[in-house]
């Protein structure tokens, strides 16, 4: 995206929808578009969202996706479209399973398995939403980036100023701003900045896209380091997402994240996604590379 552009919120969201609307190439092969103005490595949430959209096109509408498990193999390039091949591994009485390989220039960049389930009734319980302030009155991520742009290296300024289709409103401090260690917990409200169509597959694809935001940084909170200031090399290694209930991605959702472990240059993270009225609608786990960019000095 060119920095001088000033797209409307609806234009930003339409670009996201166009990005997630994969093209059917025939034979259970699909192609994902490049992000407008994208430079460098493809955002992992884009690959997951496009892979999910590809798999859903091979399953009947009465079997919504309930889980996906993905492994990132190589960093994708913003210079090329992404090709997706879907394998129809199983169609049973209640469940279907699909396997997706995402590739660029003939090399796989992501493997993903997805499971689909006919709606059934059953026993119900859910963990409660954490007690946190609502999104009203919280500064959004774009405002925080503008206020603290001087804390980022100049090479990241253009990226930090880019308008985005997903609004984030963090609850509590972030280490990249104050440089202080914090508990490995991060709560963030998020939603699309404009109204989405009613198709639930679109809302699931947008949530899959957004689920790769905020999560990996939770493991860096206790160490007061950030990829933005060059203190570490970070990349998602795997990503698992479970869809529990219905939601709209253009209404406020709380992403409640924690990181119970980090070590050996990896960080493990968990996330729970709630509607504003406290309904648990999705769960996420991810392990990522958090490799220090310089040797760690240990103190006794």
């Amino acid at each position: 995206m060119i920095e001088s552009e000033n797209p409307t919120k609806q234009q930003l969201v339409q670009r996201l929808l166009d990005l997630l609307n994969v093209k059917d190439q025939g034979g259970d092969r699909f192609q994902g578009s490049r992000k407008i103005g994208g430079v460098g490595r493809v955002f992992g949430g884009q690959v997951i969202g496009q892979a999910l959209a590809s798999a859903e096109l091979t399953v009947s509408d009465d079997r919504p996706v309930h889980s996906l498990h993905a492994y990132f193999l190589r960093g994708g390039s913003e210079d090329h479209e992404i090709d997706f091949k879907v394998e129809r591994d199983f169609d049973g009485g209640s469940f279907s399973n699909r396997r997706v390989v995402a590739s660029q220039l003939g090399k796989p960049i992501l493997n993903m398995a997805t499971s689909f389930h006919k709606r059934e009734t059953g026993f119900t319980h859910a963990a409660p939403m954490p007690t946190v302030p609502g999104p009203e009155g919280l500064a959004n991520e774009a405002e925080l980036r503008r206020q603290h742009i001087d804390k980022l290296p100049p090479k990241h300024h253009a990226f930090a100023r880019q308008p985005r289709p997903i609004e984030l409103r963090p609850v509590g401090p972030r280490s990249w701003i104050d440089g202080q260690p914090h508990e490995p917990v991060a709560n963030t409200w998020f939603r699309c900045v404009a109204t989405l169509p009613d198709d639930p597959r679109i809302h699931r694809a947008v949530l899959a896209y957004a689920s790769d935001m905020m999560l990996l940084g939770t493991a860096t909170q206790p160490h007061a380091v950030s990829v933005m200031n060059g203190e570490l090399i970070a990349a998602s290694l795997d990503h698992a997402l479970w869809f529990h209930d219905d939601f709209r991605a253009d209404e406020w959702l709380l992403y409640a994240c924690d990181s119970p472990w980090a070590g050996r240059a990896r960080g493990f993270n968990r996330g729970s996604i709630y509607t504003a009225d406290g309904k648990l609608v999705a769960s996420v786990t991810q392990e990522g590379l958090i490799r220090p960019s310089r040797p760690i000095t240990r103190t006794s």
Side-chain angles (χ1 to χ4, degrees):
M1 186 180 297
I2 299 172
E3 189 177 340
S4 60
E5 286 187 358
N6 188 26
T8 66
K9 291 181 178 180
Q10 192 59 57
Q11 287 172 329
L12 287 169
V13 170
Q14 188 57 54
R15 290 177 181 181
L16 176 59
L17 296 183
D18 291 343
L19 188 68
L20 297 174
N21 184 23
V22 295
K23 302 177 182 66
D24 191 341
Q25 306 289 88
D28 289 345
R29 294 181 180 273
F30 304 87
Q31 187 176 80
S33 301
R34 297 168 53 194
K35 177 184 173 183
I36 294 177
V39 177
R41 190 170 67 182
V42 175
F43 171 52
Q46 173 188 329
V47 190
I48 291 173
Q50 291 177 333
L52 174 59
S54 300
E56 288 207 300
L57 289 173
T58 70
V59 182
S60 61
D61 291 344
D62 66 341
R63 297 188 177 203
V65 63
H66 74 90
S67 69
L68 63 83
H69 295 71
Y71 280 92
F72 295 97
L73 307 178
R74 295 177 175 87
S77 169
E78 295 277 18
D79 295 333
H80 307 284
E81 288 79 13
I82 304 175
D83 298 312
F84 297 90
K85 179 66 174 75
V86 180
E87 297 290 345
R88 303 189 186 214
D89 286 342
F90 178 73
D91 284 300
S94 299
F95 289 88
S96 293
N97 192 278
R98 298 292 185 263
R99 193 160 29 99
V100 187
V101 177
S103 302
Q104 282 188 321
L105 303 179
K107 293 184 177 181
I109 63 172
L110 174 135
N111 289 335
M112 188 174 85
T114 59
S115 185
F116 301 81
H117 183 203
K118 277 188 176 181
R119 287 289 168 91
E120 301 184 47
T121 58
F123 304 106
T124 301
H125 73 269
M129 183 171 72
T131 302
V132 299
E136 298 78 11
L138 296 177
N140 65 40
E141 188 82 4
E143 294 168 342
L144 293 172
R145 289 195 302 268
R146 286 194 297 268
Q147 293 171 9
H148 301 281
I149 196 76
D150 58 310
K151 295 182 171 66
L152 302 175
K155 66 179 181 179
H156 291 310
H157 286 188
F159 174 79
R161 292 191 180 104
Q162 286 181 359
R164 297 173 189 178
I166 306 291
E167 180 180 3
L168 310 176
R169 294 194 180 185
V171 179
R174 292 293 190 267
S175 294
W176 74 267
I177 294 176
D178 62 16
Q180 300 299 312
H182 298 286
E183 291 296 315
V185 174
N187 295 299
T188 306
W189 291 97
F190 72 98
R191 67 176 177 184
C192 256
V193 297
T195 303
L196 296 170
D198 291 334
D199 186 345
R201 292 174 299 181
I202 291 175
H203 293 263
R204 291 192 292 265
V206 170
L207 186 141
Y209 175 92
S211 69
D212 196 35
M213 299 175 175
M214 298 88 75
L215 191 58
L216 183 54
T218 310
T220 70
Q221 285 277 99
H223 313 287
V225 294
S226 170
V227 68
M228 294 294 283
N229 57 25
E231 294 173 316
L232 78 158
I233 300 166
S236 302
L237 298 175
D238 60 10
H239 193 96
L241 169 59
W242 293 263
F243 294 94
H244 305 314
D245 214 330
D246 298 325
F247 60 90
R248 290 191 65 93
D250 52 7
E251 296 178 353
W252 284 118
L253 298 168
L254 178 69
Y255 202 172
C257 301
D258 75 293
S259 175
W261 176 87
R264 303 184 184 277
R266 303 192 311 275
F268 178 69
N269 307 275
R270 303 177 294 199
S272 298
I273 299 177
Y274 296 87
T275 58
D277 61 359
K279 181 173 67 175
L280 178 63
V281 295
S283 297
V284 192
T285 61
Q286 184 183 86
E287 189 175 50
L289 176 73
I290 49 171
R291 178 183 293 149
S293 56
R294 61 183 66 91
I296 295 176
T297 301
R298 300 188 179 276
T299 58
S300 56

